[in-house]
Amino acid sequence: GHDMAASSSEQRLVQNADGSLRIVHAGSAGTGDSGNPDDTGAPDDAGGGDAQLAIAETRVRLRVDATPPQSCYRGAELWANYDAATRISRCKDAIERVCRSVCLQESVREPTLALLVRHCQLLGRIPRMAVALKRLVGGCLMVMSAKQGLGVPMPEMAARVGLSLSELKRSTWKVCKANGIRLAQNSSQRQALLTRIADFFQMRRQRGVVCDLASKIWAMAERGWIATGRTWAPLLAACFVLAARAYYFTVDLDSLSKFIVTTEGTLNNRIREVSKLLVSLVSFMPWGYMVTQENVHCYVIFAVEFSDLLFPAGKEFRSRSQAALPPPGSPRKRPRPKGHRDRERDDSVSEEDTVLSDMYSDDLGELPSATAA
C-alpha cells in the first residue's frame, strides 16, 4: 500500500490495498524496533499508546481531507456536462417551438441543432442567459432555413423568435462569420414564400398558375430596377396580389401584411410601383390610353407574355419621343397670360382697317350673347 507518514517518529500509519488504515511501529511491518517477530512493538503504557494512536489518526484524517480526491474533479466535470446538456436541450425545445410557429418542416430541426452545437464548440462556451440562447437559436434557424430555401423572411423570423430585427441580423451575421457560411437569395426561397402565402389564404384552385405569374412579375420588377435595394418579401407579396387579381381573386392586404410582418402602407407602395411599371410597358400600344393603375391587373397576363418584346419596344418608343422634342438649348415660345389680347396683326391688313375696327369695337362694346337675345 501507499505509506502516509505521520509526524511521530516512533509509529507510522500504513494504508492497505483496500483503503483501510493500520498502525505499525517504526521497524518493519509486524516487528518491533528489535526486529524480533514476537515483539509487536506495543508500548508498556497502554493508555499512552492509545493517545498517540488517536493523535496520529487525527493528523492523517486532516491531511486526507485537505487534499481533494480525484472524484471531486470528476464530479465537477460531470456537473459541467450536465449543465451543458441541459442548455442544449433548452435550445432544442426552442427550435421545435419556432418551427411550429413558422410552420416549417421537421427536416430543418436536426441541421439547425447541429449548427448550434458546432457554433458553441467554436466559441468554447454555451450561452447561459435566456436572451443569449434566444439570439443563438434565431440566428442558427435563420441561416439553416435560408440554406434550405424555405422562404422565411428575416422580419417574420424575428417576430416569431421574439427579437428585434437588428438583433437577429447581428446574430445571423455572427453565425455566418464563425462558420464560414454565405447566404444568397435564390428562386427556391421566393417559390417557397409564394407557396406559404397560398397556403395561408387556403388557395386551392389555380394555385400553380398564380404562383408562376407572380414569379414572372417579380422577374419584370427586377428588370425594371424595383427590387434593387429593397426588402424582397413585401415586393414578392405585391407581385402575388397582382397575380391573384389577374385571376379574379381577392386578397386581404391587412392579413397578408401581418403574415409577412410588414405594414400595409409598405405593401400598397410596392403594389403601386409594380403597377406603374406595367402601365408604362403597355402605354404606347394603340389601346394604351385605357390602361391605368386601377385596372392594370386586367392586362397583366398580356404584359407578362410579351414582356420580351415590350421592354425593347418601350425603349425605342421613348427614344423616338425624345427625338421629336426641340433641342434643350432652343428658345421656346413663352405662354401668354390668360385674357391677354393679341395685338399682332397680319401684314396684309392695312392701318386704316385696323383703326376702323378699333373704333367700332369701342362704340358698340360687347355684343349680346345668344342666350340674352
Side-chain angles (χ1 to χ4, degrees):
H2 177 69
D3 295 343
M4 303 180 63
S7 61
S8 176
S9 59
E10 298 179 355
Q11 295 177 346
R12 61 177 180 174
L13 199 64
V14 180
Q15 184 178 7
N16 298 326
D18 57 354
S20 60
L21 300 176
R22 62 188 179 89
I23 297 177
V24 298
H25 289 277
S28 60
T31 60
D33 293 337
S34 61
N36 187 4
D38 297 334
D39 186 5
T40 57
D44 296 335
D45 188 2
D50 294 339
Q52 293 179 1
L53 178 59
I55 293 173
E57 289 180 353
T58 303
R59 290 176 178 176
V60 171
R61 188 181 301 111
L62 291 176
R63 291 183 182 182
V64 172
D65 292 341
T67 305
Q70 189 67 21
S71 60
C72 296
Y73 295 107
R74 190 179 301 111
E77 182 180 358
L78 292 176
W79 174 255
N81 294 337
Y82 174 76
D83 190 17
T86 303
R87 279 178 272 176
I88 291 177
S89 178
R90 290 173 56 192
C91 294
K92 184 178 180 181
D93 296 339
I95 290 172
E96 292 179 356
R97 288 196 300 269
V98 175
C99 289
R100 287 194 299 268
S101 176
V102 188
C103 299
L104 297 178
Q105 54 266 32
E106 297 182 359
S107 61
V108 75
R109 299 179 183 180
E110 294 299 329
T112 303
L113 184 61
L115 177 62
L116 187 145
V117 173
R118 185 177 66 181
H119 183 71
C120 293
Q121 289 176 353
L122 292 175
L123 295 179
R125 59 183 177 85
I126 301 177
R128 187 181 299 271
M129 303 299 294
V131 178
L133 285 176
K134 188 185 299 184
R135 292 172 183 170
L136 181 59
V137 169
C140 294
L141 194 56
M142 187 67 212
V143 170
M144 194 53 59
S145 63
K147 286 187 64 178
Q148 293 189 3
L150 301 181
V152 181
M154 190 169 288
E156 182 182 358
M157 181 64 72
R160 298 294 185 268
V161 176
L163 298 173
S164 63
L165 185 59
S166 59
E167 289 178 341
L168 183 60
K169 285 182 179 179
R170 194 179 303 113
S171 177
T172 305
W173 176 79
K174 289 180 180 179
V175 173
C176 293
K177 181 181 178 182
N179 297 272
I181 300 175
R182 183 182 296 273
L183 298 181
Q185 182 190 353
N186 48 24
S187 59
S188 61
Q189 293 190 21
R190 295 191 292 269
Q191 193 64 31
L193 182 57
L194 290 174
T195 304
R196 293 179 59 228
I197 294 175
D199 292 338
F200 176 74
F201 286 106
Q202 298 179 358
M203 184 180 295
R204 297 181 179 88
R205 295 182 298 105
Q206 296 180 336
R207 173 175 175 172
V209 292
V210 171
C211 294
D212 292 341
L213 184 60
S215 300
K216 294 178 181 179
I217 296 175
W218 168 272
M220 296 175 64
E222 279 188 329
R223 194 171 179 179
W225 296 90
I226 298 179
T228 304
R230 299 287 181 82
T231 306
W232 64 282
L235 181 58
L236 189 62
C239 297
F240 179 85
V241 171
L242 291 175
R245 289 176 180 176
Y247 288 95
Y248 305 101
F249 287 102
T250 303
V251 180
D252 187 10
L253 299 183
D254 187 18
S255 301
L256 181 57
S257 61
K258 290 179 180 178
F259 177 73
I260 62 174
V261 191
T262 186
T263 60
E264 189 175 354
T266 301
L267 189 58
N268 285 321
N269 290 335
R270 298 298 174 267
I271 294 174
R272 192 180 303 112
E273 290 172 355
V274 178
S275 300
K276 187 177 180 180
L277 173 65
L278 296 175
V279 169
S280 66
L281 286 177
V282 299
S283 60
F284 62 90
M285 300 296 292
W287 40 266
Y289 66 94
M290 302 171 55
V291 184
T292 60
Q293 295 186 13
E294 286 74 18
N295 63 356
V296 70
H297 59 274
C298 301
Y299 305 90
V300 167
I301 299 178
F302 173 82
V304 169
E305 292 295 332
F306 297 96
S307 60
D308 295 338
L309 299 176
L310 292 177
F311 272 101
K315 183 179 180 180
E316 183 67 21
F317 176 77
R318 286 190 297 271
S319 62
R320 290 185 180 183
S321 299
Q322 292 177 0
L325 296 175
S330 61
R332 296 184 179 181
K333 188 176 180 180
R334 297 180 59 185
R336 301 178 183 275
K338 187 177 181 181
H340 178 74
R341 191 172 180 179
D342 191 2
R343 292 293 184 178
E344 295 181 0
R345 303 298 181 180
D346 193 2
D347 295 339
S348 61
V349 180
S350 61
E351 185 178 357
E352 184 179 357
D353 295 334
T354 305
V355 173
L356 290 176
S357 80
D358 292 337
M359 288 175 54
Y360 283 113
S361 62
D362 293 335
D363 293 340
L364 299 178
E366 294 183 0
L367 294 176
S369 62
T371 306

